[in-house]
Amino acid sequence: MRLPAEFLGMWFGQAAIGYLLFDCLCAARHHPASTGRKLLTAVLELSVFWGLLLSGAAWQTVVTGSLAAEGILLRFIWGKCTLRDWLAIWAGKLMLTVLLGGICLGGALLAGRIYPVMYVFAALGLAGMVRILAAAGEQKRKRSIFPVGLSIEGRLIWIKGLYDTGNCLYDGLRRLPVSIVSRRLIRESFPELEVCLEKFVRGEDTRSLSLHYLPYKSLGCPEGMLLCFTADYLILGENGRKGMTMHPRIAVSENSTLFGPAYQMILNPDVLQE
């Protein structure tokens, strides 16, 4: 069966819009998904939508099936992530879709009618704006990232630390500033510490590094607990030009989305004053 040219034009336009929305989402969250993966995801999502629509399914089934397919395909783009992160990513995609619809509606009201090409140009404009804002944010973050030497039980490694004024973690009555590292970094660079952490979680006796739980609150997590320990020292900046902190408190987070490809530690701003 030969498909009409109008349908093919509409299908390719919708696929381009789907790709641009996925591109917006990846840019906004600084996720390095490949062009091929984003394009394949957009095509598969559109195929599910049209498959349900042409099958004669009820509109409730079409909407529910399309949303479910979108959630599954977002997991394909992001790979391994927690349920909470996945839901946040899914919500972000829905918000971008609603925003695009609002832009198109505003354009239609100004023009007096709806032109199909409006959706493509609106998606291009949205993608360009998101990329500009994401690039500006990335440049700002880069200015706040510098080398950090982390020493634990005599082993020193060099990583990148993000100076984050939003990190308000403090430990104990003395309110000692707490910086955060990913659990993945501990597993890869400090296997002995990883063994101690596992023993501590199981309730086994381990007194090294002053391991303890640290309560915290964050957006989407009103009550949480982080494993916290005391390192040997931190060297801030190349050759310690920003200072050196003895016996800093370090918290370990399982949430890999807190850390970008440019940094592996989130510094407490008061660490620089230690």
Side-chain angles (χ1 to χ4, degrees):
M1 182 179 68
R2 185 176 180 181
L3 295 175
E6 293 81 2
F7 176 82
L8 289 175
M10 180 175 60
W11 193 92
F12 281 111
Q14 290 177 339
I17 292 170
Y19 168 81
L20 290 170
L21 285 174
F22 283 122
D23 185 65
C24 283
L25 184 63
C26 292
R29 298 185 66 93
H30 305 284
H31 185 74
S34 66
T35 300
R37 179 168 289 198
K38 288 181 287 189
L39 183 59
L40 178 60
T41 302
V43 171
L44 290 175
E45 182 185 23
L46 191 58
S47 299
V48 171
F49 169 78
W50 278 105
L52 292 172
L53 191 65
L54 295 177
S55 69
W59 68 268
Q60 296 94 334
T61 303
V62 174
V63 172
T64 304
S66 298
L67 287 174
E70 182 178 76
I72 294 170
L73 291 169
L74 281 172
R75 189 65 179 265
F76 169 72
I77 283 185
W78 249 259
K80 186 177 180 181
C81 60
T82 65
L83 176 62
R84 186 175 65 184
D85 295 334
W86 175 54
L87 292 175
I89 294 164
W90 199 0
K93 175 61 164 57
L94 293 176
M95 289 174 63
L96 285 170
T97 304
V98 172
L99 178 59
L100 176 63
I103 294 173
C104 293
L105 178 60
L109 291 175
L110 291 174
R113 59 170 294 185
I114 296 177
Y115 297 95
V117 73
M118 280 183 176
Y119 292 95
V120 177
F121 281 111
L124 282 169
L126 181 60
M129 182 61 66
V130 169
R131 283 207 164 270
I132 290 172
L133 293 175
E138 186 66 22
Q139 288 298 320
K140 184 177 179 181
R141 273 191 295 273
K142 284 181 179 179
R143 289 196 294 269
S144 301
I145 295 173
F146 46 83
V148 175
L150 174 62
S151 176
I152 302 174
E153 293 190 317
R155 175 177 171 79
L156 174 66
I157 65 168
W158 284 92
I159 55 178
K160 295 292 185 179
L162 172 67
Y163 177 76
D164 186 6
T165 56
N167 179 2
C168 301
L169 274 179
Y170 295 89
D171 188 25
L173 296 176
R174 295 173 56 195
R175 290 185 56 79
L176 297 173
V178 179
S179 300
I180 309 171
V181 297
S182 68
R183 186 69 179 266
R184 179 179 179 180
L185 175 69
I186 298 299
R187 293 191 186 101
E188 294 177 351
S189 302
F190 300 100
E192 297 84 0
L193 175 57
E194 173 65 18
V195 172
C196 290
L197 293 177
E198 291 178 351
K199 288 182 178 179
F200 181 79
V201 171
R202 292 196 299 264
E204 298 181 17
D205 183 24
T206 173
R207 299 178 182 177
S208 62
L209 300 171
S210 303
L211 284 167
H212 60 283
Y213 283 108
L214 177 69
Y216 78 102
K217 296 180 181 180
S218 65
L219 184 63
C221 183
E223 293 184 2
M225 301 291 286
L226 292 174
L227 283 171
C228 186
F229 66 92
T230 302
D232 298 336
Y233 57 86
L234 279 179
I235 302 175
L236 304 172
E238 293 178 355
N239 301 317
R241 69 176 185 273
K242 289 186 179 294
M244 182 174 181
T245 301
M246 299 300 298
H247 309 302
R249 295 293 198 276
I250 307 294
V252 182
S253 175
E254 296 278 4
N255 188 357
S256 59
T257 59
L258 289 176
F259 307 92
Y263 58 92
Q264 301 80 44
M265 171 180 276
I266 301 175
L267 294 165
N268 187 298
D270 287 342
V271 168
L272 298 179
Q273 302 173 15
E274 283 273 291

